[in-house]
Amino acid sequence: MTASFDRFRWYYRRLRAMRPAEVALRLGRNLRNIRDRLGVAPSDNALLGDLEATTVEAFFAEHRFLFEPGDRETYVERYQRHLPDERNDLLRRVDEVLEGRFRLFGGEPVPLGAPLDWHRDPETGEAWPLAFWTQLHPNFAGCGEARTIWEVGRQGYLYDLGKAAWLTGDERAAEAARSHIDSWIEQNPPLHGIHWFSPLECAIRIVAWTFTLHWLRESSALDDAFLRRCLTSIARQATFIAENISRFSSTNNHTIGEAVGLLTAGVILPGSPRAESWRDTGRELLEQVLPEQMHRDGVPVEQAFHYATFLLDWSIFGLRLGEQNDIDWSPRYRGALSMLGGFFQSVLPEGGALPAIGDSDDGFALGLLGGNDRPGPAALNLCAAWARRTDWVRPHEPVDEKTLWLLGNDSVDWLRGVEAARPATGLTTMRMGGYTVHRGRVDESEEFLLFDHGPMGMPPLRGHGHADALQICLSLGGEALLVDPGTYRYHRGGVWRDYFRGLRAHNTASLDLENPFSPLGPFQWGDGIDGRVELAWHQDGIVRLKGAHDAWQVAGIAGTHSRWVLRLEPGIWLVIDRIEDSRKSIVQHFHLGSGRVSAGENGWLLRGRRGGLLRLTAQVGAEARRVSGDPGGAGGWSSPRFGVLEPAETIQVWGEPGQDVVATLLQLGPAAEESKVRVDLLWEDDQRSARVRLGESVWHAALA
C-alpha cells in the first residue's frame, strides 16, 4: 500500500510540473509504447535499409572520424612524449577487464565475471527483469541502484580496450571488445530490460561503440558480420532516442547527450533511411539546447558542477564530429562552449579539484580520461586547447588523454608549448548563475573561496540541485579545507539522498538541523531555496560579500537569512549568519576536508593531509560542536564518490535559541597558529558594521 501510494504521489507531482504541450507529447509516446509492446511496430526495413548488407570497407568510406589509421604512429609518439605513464596504466586496466573485473565510479576493480550478466545488479546481486522498458521504473524497483547497473551497461571500459588494440596491436583487447558488444546485444533485445529504460544510456553506448569500431578498424576482430550486428543495434538505439528525447520539463544534460547520440548515428549510418533525420535532429538540438543549459555568465543552469564536465565533453565531441563531416556550427553554439570554458576557469582552484556543488554520479560522457581522476583540470585543459586560450592553461597541470583524442595531436603540443601563468587574484561574481569567487595569496599559496548565492537548480524540477544556498567552499594551495560532502546515491539513496541534498550537508546555516522544504523525490523539489547576492566588494585585500535567501520566510518558519563573508586580511575570514525572527538556534555547518582535527581553547584546528591549516573559532556565547558519522544523520558524513558513504569531520556552531545572529572566524595557513583568539561580535550603527576582537587586534568590519 505504501509503495503504491508513493508511486501515485510521485506521478501526481511530476504531472503538476508539466505544461499541456508536454502532457500531449507524453500521451502520444504512451500510445506508441503500447503499440511497440504489442509487437506491431514498423518493420526493420524502414529502419535498417542497406545496413544489413554493409561491409567494413564501405562503412569507413562513408564518413570521417576524429582519427584515421594513418594517425596511429603519431598518437603512439604523443603517448610516449606526453603521457609516458599512461601506456602501462592502460594495459593494467585492460588486464582487469580480461579477468572480469571492472571499475565502477572510479573505485577499485569489482569482480563481475565473464561473460557478464547484464541484468544482475553489481551490488545487490538481484537480477532486473527482462520486461518491456515501460514496465520498469528505477525509482521504485527493488533490484538495486539503477545508476550502478547503468554504469556497467555504458561499457566505458571499451575505450581502454579499443585504445590498447589500436596503440599496441593487442588482439586480446580487440576480441574482448567485440565479445562484450556482442554479449550486450544478445542479452538486451530491443526495448526490453533496464538498459533500454533511458535514452541517455543508449546515447552513451552509441558513442562508446563508435569510438571502439574506429579503434578496431585494422583488427581481425572487426569483420562484416560483427559490424552489421553492431550497426543494427545502434540504429535501434538511435530510434529509441529519437522517439523519447528528454524535452520540456525534462530538458537537461540528458538532452545534450541524446542529441550527440543521434548526431553520431546519423553520421556513421548513412545506409539507414532515418540517418539524415537523426543527424539533423541531433545538430538542431545541440544548437538550441546547449546555450539554454547555461546562464548568460556561463554557469550551467542545473547548478551541478560535475554535469558541466558532462556538457562540455558531449558538446566538444559533437562539434568535432560534425566538423569532420561538413557540418557547420553557429557562432552561438561556439560562444556557449567558450562561456563554459570561462566558467571552469573561474571555479577551479589552482592545483585543486572542482568543488562538488550539486549532484554528481561520477560518470562520464566519454571514457577518454583513462586513469585520470581529476575531471575539473581535464575540462579546463580541453577548453583551453580548443579555444587556444593561454590564460586558461594552469601551471604544472599534466596533459590528459581526453584532449588528445578529441582535439588531435596538435592540441597536446600546443598545451605543452604554452607558458602557463597563475590565475589572477581578485573577485569574480557570476550574478546570473549565482557564484562569487575570491582568489588571493597567503604567502605563495592561492587562497580560494567560492560563495554560492544562486538558484537551487533548474526549474521546474530542480532535479540535480542541492539546498546549498549561501554555502562557502574554501581551499589553500589547492587543498580543499571546507568541502561540499558530495551526493552518495540517486534512486536507492532514501533518507541519505535527502540528507546530502539538505542544508546541514553544506557549509551554510540552518535553524536547528531543519530544512525549510523537503524533496519530493530523488530528482524533484517542490519549493526551492534560491539565493541572491546583495554585496560583492573588494579593495586592497579586503573582501565584503553578502548574500540572502527568503526560504524560511516562504515556509512560514522565520524571516530572511542573510550571510556576510568578510576577508579581514589575508588568511582571516569572518562568516556571520543572521536569520530574522527565529525562535530556534541558528546552526552554522562547516564540513572539513581530509586531515586531522584537534580541539584547543581557541577553537578547532584542521591539519590537512597536504599541510594546509584551518582554525575555526566561534564567537563568544556560541557552542562549536564536533560531529563525525552521527548515526542519526545530524552531520559528519561524506561521499567521496558515488555509492560510498564515509564518516567525516564537521564543525557545527550553535547559537542560543532565539539569538538571531551567529559568527565564526576562519584562519588559514600561518594565521591558524594564532593561540590567543577571542571573537566578540558587537553590532554597531544599526547593524551596518561589526567589531571583532582577536587578542590585541580589533577589526571594524563594514557590512553594507
Side-chain angles (χ1 to χ4, degrees), residues 81-126:
R81 192 196 321 172
H82 298 309
L83 300 159
D85 298 326
E86 180 52 35
R87 184 181 183 277
N88 290 335
D89 289 342
L90 171 64
L91 296 180
R92 174 178 49 79
R93 295 194 302 272
V94 167
D95 285 340
E96 292 170 358
V97 174
L98 296 178
E99 294 166 1
R101 298 185 297 137
F102 301 84
R103 293 177 179 267
L104 305 179
F105 310 115
E108 292 300 312
V110 177
L112 299 181
L116 277 169
D117 181 344
W118 293 101
H119 303 284
R120 192 162 300 282
D121 186 90
E123 293 179 319
T124 67
E126 298 291 326

Side-chain angles (χ1 to χ4, degrees), residues 7 11 37 129-138 141 191-192 197:
R7 182 188 292 264
Y11 279 114
R37 184 180 173 189
L130 193 61
F132 190 76
W133 72 274
T134 59
Q135 296 178 285
L136 303 170
H137 200 300
L191 305 182
H192 286 74
F197 183 84

